[in-house]
Amino acid sequence: MNISVNHRPSARSYAVLSIGAAVMTIALKFGAYSLTGSVGLLSDAFESIVNLVAAIGAFWALSYAAKPPDEKHSFGHSKAEYFSSALEGFLILVAAGSIAVAAVDRFFHPQPIEQAGLGLVLALLATAINGGVSWILLQASRQLRSITLRADAYHLLTDVWTSVGVVLGIGLVSVTGWFVLDPIVALLVAANIVWTGCKLLGETGFGLLDGAIPDDEQKAIALIMSEYKTQGIQFHALRTRVAGSRSFVSFHVLVPGAWTVQRGHDVCEIIEQAIALALPGTNVTTHLEPSEDPISWNDEKLN
């Protein structure tokens, strides 16, 4: 038997917000680049294009992941979110490479920065938009347990730090007249983006390998089980995995053989309900066994 409780709002609206923010920041950053000619601002604008592509991918992934289980996907479609996070990680690395190429060329062919003041205003406005949206997405990702929204939030946060670094670089160039600072800042930005992209790809790989649920959630399950052990009920073969925004928990419930099937069934239902309520978005499956039967303990090592 299994039970799942999930009363979560759709995450797709947050992806739409991310798409809108990406369109606005692209316009602002390319405007800033056209005014200043800064390769740092150009690299920042390139990353915003990546943001747009990633946000569109996130919307698709969240839409597909929200589809209910069917005959060919009995566990649902929640792992579709990992396609989005993998795409985003890859695009982050592509953006870093594009930035590095442009920065190296500008390092050997430095150029003055024009209309730095107005360009910085546009860049800071785009940074403020990304900062606000990234905060909203990060909160939503924690509430909805969505790796897609978390990836998008981290990507936008990377963009924020990228923009801050670029603005500081342009400011230093304006004050010192050292044009070479512009491409140096762009290279530092590229290095930071590479780190973020690799981290995101690592999280995606962990999810695709059916990683266990977090330790705090496993402790919550253990606490619920402890309440029933005093009644002569035992548990083993606990297995957990995470698939996008959903989690799956299965274990064996061992009860006295003299119990009726109905009594054992009722206990399993109560335990499943308690775990599903404590961990929203979790599908709980139990297997009822008589504790006196030696065969019931053959799979104890699965624990």
Side-chain angles (χ1 to χ4, degrees), residues 159-174:
D159 200 350
V160 169
W161 289 115
T162 297
S163 300
V164 170
V166 169
V167 168
L168 289 175
I170 293 176
L172 289 173
V173 170
S174 301

Side-chain angles (χ1 to χ4, degrees), residues 48-287:
S48 289
I49 294 178
V50 175
N51 289 349
L52 177 59
V53 175
I56 294 173
F59 181 81
W60 170 85
L62 291 169
S63 299
Y64 194 81
K67 295 175 62 176
D70 54 36
E71 292 183 359
K72 293 185 177 180
H73 305 90
S74 56
F75 286 97
H77 303 78
S78 54
K79 275 197 173 183
E81 290 200 41
Y82 294 114
F83 287 102
S84 175
S85 60
L87 172 65
E88 190 145 8
F90 173 75
L91 291 177
I92 288 174
L93 296 181
V94 171
S98 300
I99 293 170
V101 170
V104 169
D105 179 72
R106 185 59 61 88
F107 182 84
F108 291 106
H109 305 91
Q111 296 180 15
I113 295 177
E114 307 291 340
Q115 303 186 61
L118 183 56
L120 290 179
V121 169
L122 294 178
L124 288 173
L125 180 57
T127 301
I129 293 173
N130 278 336
V133 173
S134 65
W135 184 85
I136 293 173
L137 293 182
L138 194 58
Q139 300 304 312
S141 72
R142 291 168 179 167
Q143 179 185 0
L144 303 176
R145 298 169 61 184
S146 169
I147 188 175
T148 297
L149 292 180
R150 184 165 69 251
D152 214 7
Y154 283 149
H155 193 176
L156 288 179
L157 281 174
T158 299
D159 200 350
V160 169
W161 289 115
T162 297
S163 300
V164 170
V166 169
V167 168
L168 289 175
I170 293 176
L172 289 173
V173 170
S174 301
V175 172
T176 64
W178 298 346
F179 302 138
V180 74
L181 288 176
D182 185 31
I184 289 177
V185 168
L187 286 172
L188 292 175
V189 165
N192 179 58
I193 294 174
V194 167
W195 181 84
T196 301
C198 291
K199 180 180 178 181
L200 183 54
L201 288 174
E203 291 182 4
T204 300
F206 179 80
L208 290 174
L209 291 174
D210 284 340
I213 64 176
D215 290 341
D216 59 331
E217 296 185 4
Q218 295 199 43
K219 290 179 180 178
I221 293 175
L223 181 61
I224 292 173
M225 288 180 171
S226 66
E227 299 176 3
Y228 294 89
K229 289 182 178 179
T230 58
Q231 303 176 28
I233 300 173
Q234 302 180 68
F235 306 91
H236 68 218
L238 173 64
R239 289 180 288 182
T240 68
R241 67 183 179 92
V242 178
S245 61
R246 300 182 65 194
S247 296
F248 294 87
V249 175
S250 67
F251 54 89
H252 295 186
V253 182
L254 293 91
V255 301
W259 281 23
T260 64
V261 174
Q262 183 66 54
R263 183 178 179 183
H265 170 81
D266 291 344
V267 168
C268 288
E269 287 285 347
I270 293 172
I271 296 173
E272 290 174 2
Q273 182 75 20
I275 294 175
L277 289 174
L279 305 176
T282 299
N283 181 286
V284 186
T285 303
T286 58
H287 175 63

Side-chain angles (χ1 to χ4, degrees), residues 7-28:
H7 301 295
R8 295 163 182 264
S10 171
R12 285 173 289 181
S13 58
Y14 293 102
V16 172
L17 175 64
S18 182
I19 292 173
V23 171
M24 293 177 63
T25 55
I26 286 173
L28 289 170

